[in-house]
Amino acid sequence: GLARPGSFIAHVSIPTAIQTSLLKTSLPQTTLSHSVATVSEETISECLRLLSSGPFAIWVGFGARSAAFEIREFAERTGAAVMCSPRGKGIFPEDHPQFIGVTGFAGHSSVVTYMQEQRPLHTLVLGTRLSEFTSFWNPAMIPAGGFVHVDIDPEVPGTAYPSANTFAVQSDVGMFVKALLKYFPKRTGRSTVASLPTKPERNVINPSADGLVRPELLMNAIQRIIVEGSDALVITEAGNSFAWGNHMLRFNKPGRYRVSTGFGAMGHAVTGVVGAALARNGKAVAIVGDGAMLMNSEISTAVQHQIPAVWIVLNDGCYNMCKQGSMMQGFQGMDTDIPQVDFLKIAQAMGADGIRVATETDIQQALEQALASTGPFVVDVVIDPTRPAPIRSRINNLSLQQQ
């Protein structure tokens, strides 16, 4: 596992009888060496030929996170449109004029508009498998001339779109882009793509003193106060929390946003935020649903070690992705309700601080208080469960798979 590109660590369970037995046989020494995957001049030459033959776009994934500077430099020298996977948010600045949006789950319609109205000849894919949550395997994302797909794992290119033309490149993304940059001269000023389609929308919503909190307004406040007003790491939980965060939050630096697009298991953020805050020795914020918060949480662990983790709970009294998604597919009467929980009381019972937000006018103060806290803090937000999360593209994809 450690010798594979990217590597992994498996759980090994050893029976107690073996653990307590003496070993009399000497074991051979094993040395693991990792050589960085490099690319040949012949491969670079072919990539240059393909990318110079017409307009191209760049699709950035999490595997390109260490090459943010090189990717921006390359994009600005070439004028290519740039999009990213959900896990790739922030690697290329989301406020950059060449950025056209996030792909896949709760992504932006501006990406599909671009692919339909200004379809590039090629797409340079950097460090992403183009898995379901990144691409939905949508045929509209296939460029006219095919993909140039760069990944350290040679098994990745071509798996998402096996019928599309794909020029596979096994390489470290940073080394590959640096090699390309040698052949593109520096430009004075910033280069932009001409007549880009509509950028991802950023609606201004004014707070109201009446009614439940709208998730859109909460996300706007998180963007302003936490994303732009601090250096806190932001993690979104599986479910509508991920949908709202991926669709509405904007990041301009790599490493500020984390989400799980693999199994999408609920509970990874409500616990992972503690480890994230501990590892970075600073503030980490998890945006989670009430269902996930009830499944797992490590508030007590954070209290014991005074770890500055923050939970922002979208408390709507139901498993709302299941409810909204089922209704979009035409199903009715599913039991997705959860008895309304007071997470502030739960947090206080475990020794943490927190605040309960029932009106939109209280959001700013609550988030500022959470950032100022030195220990674990829970922001329990009673949100409007009727506001549809941006999951329509996911539902449409599921419907297409059933045909």
Side-chain angles (χ1 to χ4, degrees), residues 58 67-79 92 96 98 177 181 184-187:
I58 303 173
F69 175 82
E70 291 82 3
I71 292 171
R72 178 169 180 168
E73 184 72 15
F74 180 68
E76 292 180 351
R77 290 190 193 183
T78 61
F92 190 84
H96 195 285
Q98 288 174 235
V177 180
L181 282 170
F184 291 89
K186 291 184 179 181
R187 297 187 179 186

Side-chain angles (χ1 to χ4, degrees), residues 1-326:
L2 291 174
R4 286 180 57 83
S7 73
F8 69 88
I9 299 176
H11 171 73
V12 181
S13 179
I14 303 176
T16 304
I18 296 179
Q19 292 185 44
T20 56
S21 63
L22 295 176
L23 181 67
K24 298 181 180 180
T25 304
S26 60
L27 296 176
Q29 294 295 318
T30 302
T31 302
L32 290 173
S33 61
H34 293 272
S35 58
V36 179
T38 58
V39 60
S40 67
E41 285 298 324
E42 291 79 10
T43 300
I44 289 293
S45 177
E46 178 62 13
C47 291
L48 289 170
R49 186 189 70 79
L50 292 172
L51 298 179
S52 300
S53 59
F56 70 92
I58 303 173
W59 200 340
V60 179
F62 184 69
R65 60 193 180 278
S66 61
F69 175 82
E70 291 82 3
I71 292 171
R72 178 169 180 168
E73 184 72 15
F74 180 68
E76 292 180 351
R77 290 190 193 183
T78 61
V82 183
M83 51 195 167
C84 74
S85 70
R87 295 180 71 206
K89 285 171 68 68
I91 295 174
F92 190 84
E94 293 189 69
D95 63 353
H96 195 285
Q98 288 174 235
F99 184 73
I100 59 173
V102 182
T103 65
F105 185 78
H108 301 127
S109 59
S110 53
V111 174
V112 178
T113 300
Y114 169 79
M115 294 300 296
Q116 292 174 337
E117 297 181 0
Q118 296 179 258
R119 189 183 182 195
L121 183 60
H122 293 95
T123 296
L124 176 62
V125 182
L126 301 174
T128 170
R129 292 177 175 271
L130 303 182
S131 61
E132 182 182 13
F133 269 35
T134 294
S135 67
F136 290 144
W137 307 308
N138 185 351
M141 298 302 294
I142 301 176
F147 297 101
V148 176
H149 197 151
V150 183
D151 203 279
I152 59 171
D153 189 341
E155 297 179 5
V156 166
T159 57
Y161 291 99
S163 61
N165 292 331
T166 301
F167 184 72
V169 180
Q170 184 187 10
S171 175
D172 170 80
V173 171
M175 294 185 67
F176 173 81
V177 180
K178 284 180 181 179
L180 282 182
L181 282 170
K182 297 177 183 178
Y183 299 91
F184 291 89
K186 291 184 179 181
R187 297 187 179 186
T188 57
R190 174 175 287 182
S191 172
T192 59
V193 179
S195 62
L196 277 175
T198 303
K199 303 286 288 182
E201 295 182 359
R202 302 188 71 172
N203 296 327
V204 177
I205 306 174
N206 296 319
S208 171
D210 302 320
L212 301 174
V213 175
R214 291 165 290 177
E216 305 97 310
L217 186 134
L218 174 61
M219 291 298 153
N220 283 344
I222 292 173
Q223 174 71 38
R224 185 178 69 257
I225 297 168
I226 295 178
V227 176
E228 298 174 6
S230 78
D231 64 348
L233 178 72
V234 178
I235 311 172
T236 53
E237 183 62 79
N240 277 359
S241 304
F242 169 28
W244 287 117
N246 191 51
H247 190 78
M248 296 196 67
L249 300 182
R250 305 285 189 270
F251 296 87
N252 296 326
K253 294 180 180 179
R256 291 271 327 265
Y257 181 71
R258 296 301 298 267
V259 69
S260 172
T261 56
F263 293 105
M266 291 174 62
H268 75 276
V270 290
T271 55
V273 66
V274 177
L278 183 63
R280 72 193 307 268
N281 193 29
K283 191 76 68 175
V285 178
I287 305 171
V288 306
D290 49 351
M293 198 68 175
L294 287 170
M295 288 182 179
N296 296 293
S297 82
E298 288 294 336
I299 296 175
S300 60
T301 301
V303 169
Q304 180 181 0
H305 301 282
Q306 279 302 289
I307 298 171
V310 175
W311 292 263
I312 300 175
V313 185
L314 277 59
N315 192 347
D316 52 15
C318 66
Y319 294 105
N320 215 354
M321 174 174 278
C322 299
K323 182 176 183 177
Q324 293 182 357
S326 297

Side-chain angles (χ1 to χ4, degrees), residues 303-374:
V303 169
Q304 180 181 0
H305 301 282
Q306 279 302 289
I307 298 171
V310 175
W311 292 263
I312 300 175
V313 185
L314 277 59
N315 192 347
D316 52 15
C318 66
Y319 294 105
N320 215 354
M321 174 174 278
C322 299
K323 182 176 183 177
Q324 293 182 357
S326 297
M327 291 177 65
M328 288 180 184
Q329 294 181 80
F331 298 106
Q332 301 292 333
M334 292 189 65
D335 184 8
T336 57
D337 292 342
I338 304 172
Q340 195 79 46
V341 176
D342 190 329
F343 290 101
L344 172 59
K345 290 183 178 179
I346 293 177
Q348 291 173 335
M350 287 192 280
D353 200 358
I355 190 169
R356 187 172 174 87
V357 178
T359 61
E360 293 179 345
T361 52
D362 294 333
I363 290 176
Q364 178 169 335
Q365 180 183 353
L367 295 180
E368 291 174 347
Q369 190 174 336
L371 278 181
S373 67
T374 57

